[in-house]
Amino acid sequence: MPRGRYSLHDPHDHTPLGEEHFHCAPGPSGWRYVSQLTTPSGDHAGSVDLALDDLGRPIRLELHAASWQVRGAALEGVTWVRTDPTGTHATEGNVRAHAFTGTSPAFLVATARLLRLTPSSAATRVRLVAFTDPVLAPRTVDQSWALISREAHATDNGPLTVDEYQVTALDTGEQHTVHISGDVVLAAPGIELEHLESPPSASA
């Protein structure tokens, strides 16, 4: 069960945004990721709890940030309920999309598991609902994912397979690279893997 820590920063000006302490594991029905977020000063900033089924679809999502809360799942596309900090107003949403995304590295792993790309696959378009910080506002985004390379690297614990993805935002054409090994993000814009206690779990 991988357990570790990511540092998060603004991908444009590299301003530190905090850290994400996580653990994740494959389960009988798919994969689960749980994390706690802290600010650069070490204060609690929120949490992520994401569970996928064996096809990579989100069967449960719970996000907390700045006292806002989102609960969601794959249902007629994706469906969610967003609750304000007072707990008095809850807004429901539904979009014909494939899955969710956001700033957590969990969503990059989840999208990779959903798409199941191979190096010979054509670039694949995916529609996602992004929850943007700091108030978890929902926004629908269209991306294209392509698996550029898959390489095995020798380590003390045996070979480590690293997948390099090219992700394109279809509204702006902006491209970036994501490196994933199993269920751990090794590097991506705004994300650095700072510590990992055990090797990544194998990909689905």
Side-chain angles (χ1 to χ4, degrees):
M1 181 171 70
R3 181 185 299 268
R5 172 171 50 89
Y6 294 108
S7 64
L8 307 177
H9 57 265
D10 187 295
H12 302 291
D13 62 13
H14 301 289
T15 301
L17 300 177
E19 293 187 335
E20 186 161 338
H21 301 257
F22 73 95
H23 63 271
C24 56
S29 61
W31 181 73
R32 188 176 179 201
Y33 177 102
V34 177
S35 69
Q36 298 291 323
L37 290 89
T38 57
T39 66
S41 61
D43 296 329
H44 179 72
S47 62
V48 178
D49 188 341
L50 174 65
L52 308 179
D53 67 11
D54 58 358
L55 296 178
R57 298 172 300 195
I59 52 177
R60 189 183 70 256
L61 171 67
E62 186 168 327
L63 298 177
H64 293 266
S67 299
W68 291 82
Q69 175 182 289
V70 166
R71 293 175 184 265
L75 185 66
E76 297 179 351
V78 292
T79 299
W80 68 92
V81 177
R82 176 172 171 264
T83 308
D84 74 333
T86 66
T88 56
H89 300 289
T91 306
E92 293 188 19
N94 172 262
V95 170
R96 289 287 183 184
H98 300 94
F100 300 109
T101 191
T103 55
S104 172
F107 294 114
L108 296 175
V109 176
T111 303
R113 292 176 77 91
L114 176 72
L115 296 179
R116 285 175 156 74
L117 298 176
T118 66
S120 61
S121 301
T124 300
R125 178 175 178 148
V126 61
R127 173 162 288 183
L128 305 167
V129 173
F131 293 107
T132 56
D133 294 333
V135 296
L136 302 179
R139 182 170 63 93
T140 303
V141 298
D142 291 306
Q143 296 179 343
S144 171
W145 280 60
L147 179 53
I148 302 302
S149 69
R150 173 171 287 160
E151 296 183 357
H153 298 264
T155 72
D156 294 340
N157 298 309
L160 185 72
T161 300
V162 178
D163 288 342
E164 178 185 346
Y165 293 92
Q166 184 178 75
V167 182
T168 305
L170 294 180
D171 56 346
T172 64
E174 182 180 4
Q175 293 184 332
H176 61 268
T177 302
V178 175
H179 291 89
I180 295 175
S181 179
D183 55 359
V184 173
V185 176
L186 302 180
I191 298 167
E192 295 288 343
L193 179 64
E194 299 288 353
H195 177 68
L196 186 65
E197 292 184 10
S198 57
S201 304
S203 302

